[in-house]
């Protein structure tokens, strides 16, 4: 992405435009500046370097679906490897990674093993939340919790602080009700209220969960029934960033002090809301797949104004 | 050719008198149960088959039945013995709903 093939009049060339589109596909690089997470376009390398020099970045990876082998991507394991390769090649190493769920496709031990080897092999700390695909073993989530549940509460929720930012990992893929959407549940909401009590209102908050906490498209189940209660608890904070996966495409929304951002999958794309018969895996022409997969990186910049999010594709 | 086909069909029909033609089935396709409402007689075994590229899970609203996660092509069978309406949903995508009506 260092070569811009724009013409002398400053017009963006077709190739450059395509590069931008492709790059915008891989993931999100975030920086927190002045307590507010902001996504950086990876093309803005100087900006990214400046942000990372004074703050820290973390990287979001999502929906790796290890075990998926259908037409939309017969080699989900390979595209995860490619994504991890790109992450390891980043000039500024992220402080850690978050994985926003659907690590595996069918919660099988071998799929968790493969994911752990590829993701863990990169040497970063990784903070996970489960997607619904990670909890469909015969033990109803035992496989996930045995691997990733250490030190977590309930179905796997927890919080931690890093560089002056409070991170909250929520689980909204258990105890789903007929006709409903994602679900946090009373126990988790009570825990969240208690967890946030000790946090200063001026501290930036980053919440991450698998299913969106905003109503992206309820007709396809893309939302969380009791998200409003969680967001109510986050109202007093000056900066709240909510990161999720599940919908395998980038969407962003700002509502008051809350920024919502959805990352791409590393496995397969899904259609834009309402543009297909179902949200199922979208098969695209050969050569287009990697432009629709990717990761996200966030830079937290102390004392500045914004977090920076960089989405990058595998293409 | 027609005769061979007819003979084949006859043989198949003899081996499996009811299952192939009459077995009630709910197909899961495009994140939906088809048909969304199925009426059967008491004692009927209904087969749910996942034709999506994504796993689904058939769960009764009243918890009276629950499948394992059904991968692509997997089936789940449940025999409905009592009369009544049995609403169910997908345990992974709960906006997906269906109903089995069991009536004499």
């Amino acid at each position: 992405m260092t070569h811009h093939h724009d013409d002398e009049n400053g017009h963006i060339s077709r190739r450059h435009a395509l590069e931008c589109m492709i790059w915008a596909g891989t993931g999100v690089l975030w920086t927190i500046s002045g307590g507010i997470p902001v996504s950086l376009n990876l093309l803005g390398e100087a900006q990214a370097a400046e942000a990372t020099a004074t703050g820290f970045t973390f990287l979001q990876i999502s929906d790796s679906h290890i075990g998926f082998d259908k037409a939309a991507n017969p080699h989900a394991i390979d595209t995860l490897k490619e994504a991890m390769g790109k992450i390891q090649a980043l000039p500024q190493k992220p402080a850690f990674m978050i994985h926003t769920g659907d690590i595996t496709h069918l919660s099988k031990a071998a799929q968790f093993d493969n994911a752990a080897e590829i993701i863990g092999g990169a040497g970063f700390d990784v903070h996970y939340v489960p997607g619904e695909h990670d909890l469909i073993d015969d033990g109803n989530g035992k496989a996930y919790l045995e691997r990733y549940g250490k030190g977590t509460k309930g179905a796997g929720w927890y919080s931690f602080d890093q560089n002056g930012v409070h991170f909250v990992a929520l689980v909204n893929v258990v105890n789903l009700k007929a006709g409903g959407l994602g679900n946090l549940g009373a126990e988790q909401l009570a825990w969240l209220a208690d967890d946030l009590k000790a946090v200063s209102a001026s501290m930036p908050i980053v919440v991450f969960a698998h299913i969106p906490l905003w109503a992206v498209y309820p007709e396809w189940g893309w939302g969380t029934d009791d998200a409003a209660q969680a967001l109510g608890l986050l109202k007093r904070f000056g900066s709240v960033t909510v990161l999720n996966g599940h919908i395998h495409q980038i969407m962003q929304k700002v509502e008051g002090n809350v920024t919502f951002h959805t990352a791409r999958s590393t496995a397969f794309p899904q259609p834009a809301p309402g543009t297909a018969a179902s949200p199922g895996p979208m098969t695209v022409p050969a050569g287009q797949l990697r432009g629709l997969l990717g990761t996200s990186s966030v830079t937290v910049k102390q004392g500045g104004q914004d977090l920076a999010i960089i989405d990058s594709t595998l293409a | 050719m027609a005769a061979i086909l007819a003979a084949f069909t006859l043989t198949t029909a003899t081996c499996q008198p009811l299952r192939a033609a009459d077995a009630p089935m709910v197909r899961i396709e495009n994140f939906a149960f088809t048909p969304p409402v199925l009426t059967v007689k008491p004692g009927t075994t209904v087969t749910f088959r996942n034709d999506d590229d994504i796993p689904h899970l058939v769960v009764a609203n009243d918890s009276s039945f629950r499948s394992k996660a059904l991968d692509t092509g997997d089936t789940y069978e449940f025999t409905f013995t009592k009369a009544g309406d049995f609403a169910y949903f997908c345990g992974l995508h709960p906006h997906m709903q269906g109903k089995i009506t069991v009536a004499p």
Side-chain angles (χ1 to χ4, degrees):
Chain A
M1 298 315 300
T2 51
H3 304 290
H4 297 174
H5 305 280
D6 299 347
D7 67 27
E8 288 171 1
N9 301 321
H11 295 126
I12 195 164
S13 71
R14 180 171 173 275
R15 184 189 168 101
H16 184 190
L18 285 173
E19 282 180 345
C20 293
M21 288 165 64
I22 289 164
W23 206 208
T26 303
V28 196
L29 182 64
W30 293 87
T31 182
I32 297 180
S33 176
I36 299 172
V38 171
S39 63
L40 284 174
N41 188 315
L42 273 188
L43 290 171
E45 284 175 9
Q47 205 184 350
E50 191 259 338
T52 53
T54 54
F56 80 103
T57 63
F58 65 96
L59 198 121
Q60 179 185 8
I61 185 168
S62 198
D63 297 87
S64 35
H65 282 268
I66 291 307
F68 183 84
D69 58 2
K70 302 299 188 295
N73 181 2
H75 308 290
I77 193 166
D78 290 343
T79 45
L80 174 63
K81 284 179 186 167
E82 285 178 36
M84 291 310 303
K86 284 188 180 276
I87 290 165
Q88 284 186 291
L90 285 173
Q92 300 282 340
K93 300 293 173 220
F96 58 87
M97 289 177 35
I98 61 171
H99 193 302
T100 43
D102 285 356
I103 305 157
T104 68
H105 194 58
L106 291 166
S107 308
K108 293 188 189 303
Q111 297 174 353
F112 279 117
D113 286 346
N114 283 336
E117 192 185 328
I118 299 164
I119 298 169
F124 297 106
D125 282 341
V126 188
H127 303 279
Y128 291 90
V129 288
E132 74 277 12
H133 288 256
D134 298 318
L135 305 177
I136 55 176
D137 58 310
D138 292 344
N140 281 325
K142 199 167 163 237
Y144 171 87
L145 281 173
E146 276 181 354
R147 283 164 195 264
Y148 302 113
K150 214 175 178 182
T152 69
K153 312 271 196 249
W157 57 81
Y158 57 95
S159 68
F160 63 95
D161 290 346
Q162 174 113 13
N163 290 51
V165 178
H166 188 63
F167 289 82
V168 181
L170 297 180
V171 179
N172 56 0
V173 291
V174 295
N175 297 323
L176 305 181
K177 315 235 179 348
L181 307 172
N183 176 58
L184 294 162
E187 189 189 350
Q188 186 170 200
L189 287 166
W191 168 83
L192 179 63
D194 189 54
D195 177 76
L196 293 173
K197 257 184 206 158
V199 182
S200 159
S202 62
M203 197 165 185
I205 308 283
V206 173
V207 175
F208 59 105
H210 179 64
I211 297 178
L213 288 175
W214 47 299
V216 174
Y217 196 62
E219 292 84 348
W220 280 358
W222 291 357
T224 299
D225 279 325
D226 49 4
Q229 294 177 58
L231 296 171
L233 295 169
L234 293 160
K235 255 188 186 149
R236 71 180 174 91
F237 296 92
S239 163
V240 179
T241 303
V242 181
L243 307 177
N244 64 269
H246 188 58
I247 70 171
H248 297 209
Q249 61 198 286
I250 288 179
M251 280 195 200
Q252 217 165 346
K253 180 193 178 189
V254 179
E255 194 173 287
N257 60 331
V258 183
T259 303
F260 300 89
H261 192 101
T262 292
R264 287 190 176 91
S265 164
T266 62
F268 56 84
Q270 285 178 273
T275 60
S278 80
M282 182 170 68
T283 303
V284 296
Q288 288 184 19
L289 175 65
R290 280 164 175 75
L292 295 168
L293 306 178
T295 61
S296 305
S297 172
V298 186
T299 300
V300 182
K301 188 180 174 189
Q302 305 300 338
Q305 287 305 309
D306 303 305
L307 277 195
I309 307 171
I310 298 176
D311 297 311
S312 28
T313 67
L314 299 185
Chain B
M1 185 65 186
I4 295 167
L5 267 181
F8 180 74
T9 308
L10 190 64
T11 310
T12 310
T14 310
C15 293
Q16 299 177 318
L18 287 173
R19 298 279 310 179
D22 298 342
M25 168 153 323
V26 176
R27 292 177 61 228
I28 304 170
E29 191 177 38
N30 286 326
F31 286 65
F33 296 105
T34 308
V37 179
L38 179 66
T39 302
V40 299
K41 292 193 186 318
T44 305
T45 298
V46 176
T47 301
F48 300 81
R49 190 180 76 203
N50 181 15
D51 288 338
D52 264 347
D53 280 352
I54 283 291
H56 295 291
L57 199 62
V58 181
V59 182
N61 289 18
D62 66 0
S63 305
S64 58
F65 57 91
R66 179 189 180 91
S67 75
K68 291 185 175 184
L70 304 178
D71 194 9
T72 307
D74 284 354
T75 58
Y76 166 68
E77 289 183 359
F78 186 79
T79 303
F80 292 86
T81 51
K82 285 188 290 186
D85 283 345
F86 298 91
Y88 63 90
F89 65 104
C90 172
L92 297 173
H93 313 99
H95 63 288
M96 296 168 54
Q97 298 186 81
K99 189 169 75 175
I100 305 293
T101 295
V102 184

